[in-house]
Amino acid sequence: MKDFRFVPLPFRRYAEEDMLARARSFYEEVDRRRSVRHFSAEDVPDEVLDACIHAAGTAPSGAHRQPWTFAVVRDPDVKRKIRIAAEAEEKETYEHRLTDEWREALEPLGTDWRKPFLETAPALIVVFRQTYGVEEQRRKTNYYTQESVGIATGFLLAALHHAGLATLTHTPSPMGFLGEILDRPENERAYVLIPVGYPAEGCEVPDLVRKPLDEIRVVI
């Protein structure tokens, strides 16, 4: 195994007032992000999606294995196949797998097993977790893959929102059909399915209230 070459850190330090302004500005921007289930069919630029995925790829990962693959799906026939398979799993979930407590929690959101956004959204990004790597035809252990891919997904959602696009995190369970439809290798497992696009005209979202800082932060 090759040792990493160490280089000077290109760290940029800000005055405290600038730090606070930047932190508050970022909060105000991400606080506007909402999960969207009603998309316009209007296309989105490939270059924008690529730049956002490039940003996601800067996320930290266990032992720098970068155990992620981002599959961008635009083909209408493939999106149709994904919708059919996802709705089959979701229908089974809503009719047989949900507990009463889970069903009660979802009821105010008005969701059901029907997922038309999987066809309407101009692009789907399927994030895959590489359970192990392959290098020179040899299997290579990946570390902390769940955590690493989770962080990268967060970067991706923030980047897409920052670029002016709407998203939804969709996790039909089980998701094995995504690897089959997209012909992904054995070492990849679907992590999350993200429809991406512009909100449909007149799109509405639930009037949610996020927990205040004092409920999510403790100081030790």
Side-chain angles (χ1 to χ4, degrees), residues 162-178:
H162 183 66
L165 294 171
T167 58
L168 173 70
T169 51
H170 182 47
T171 52
S173 181
M175 291 193 286
F177 65 87
L178 289 168

Side-chain angles (χ1 to χ4, degrees), residues 17-194:
E17 59 270 23
D18 294 333
M19 293 169 61
L20 183 57
R22 290 168 65 88
R24 286 176 171 167
S25 175
F26 184 73
Y27 162 76
E28 289 170 359
E29 179 168 6
V30 294
D31 188 45
R32 290 193 297 271
R33 188 208 163 268
R34 296 299 304 275
S35 293
V36 168
R37 291 179 171 82
H38 304 283
F39 287 87
S40 164
E42 183 181 353
D43 202 7
V44 296
D46 285 325
E47 295 84 358
V48 173
L49 297 184
D50 285 348
C52 292
I53 292 171
H54 208 184
T58 68
S61 60
H64 195 55
R65 293 292 206 233
Q66 306 169 82
W68 43 64
T69 300
F70 303 90
V72 180
V73 182
R74 286 187 171 276
D75 186 285
D77 292 335
V78 178
K79 289 196 295 179
R80 176 66 177 167
K81 290 178 182 178
I82 289 174
R83 178 184 176 180
I84 291 171
E87 287 186 334
E89 292 295 350
E90 291 288 271
K91 192 170 190 295
E92 183 67 19
T93 293
Y94 273 83
E95 293 182 354
H96 303 292
R97 295 170 180 157
L98 292 184
T99 63
D100 290 340
E101 182 180 8
W102 192 354
R103 196 180 305 278
E104 183 179 347
L106 288 174
E107 187 174 358
L109 299 175
T111 61
D112 61 24
W113 60 268
R114 298 171 182 84
K115 309 299 177 186
F117 50 76
L118 294 176
E119 285 191 270
T120 308
L124 307 176
I125 299 178
V126 185
V127 183
F128 285 92
R129 175 177 64 90
Q130 297 174 8
T131 57
Y132 59 89
V134 179
E135 188 175 279
E136 297 178 350
Q137 299 183 331
R138 288 177 17 184
R139 180 168 172 155
K140 181 175 64 174
T141 302
N142 285 337
Y143 306 98
Y144 298 105
T145 60
Q146 291 281 4
E147 297 86 348
S148 300
V149 177
I151 296 169
T153 298
F155 275 35
L156 177 61
L157 293 171
L160 290 165
H161 174 73
H162 183 66
L165 294 171
T167 58
L168 173 70
T169 51
H170 182 47
T171 52
S173 181
M175 291 193 286
F177 65 87
L178 289 168
E180 296 172 7
I181 292 174
L182 301 181
D183 194 27
R184 300 310 306 158
E186 176 62 29
N187 67 319
E188 293 187 0
R189 298 288 183 272
Y191 187 85
V192 65
L193 169 56
I194 305 175

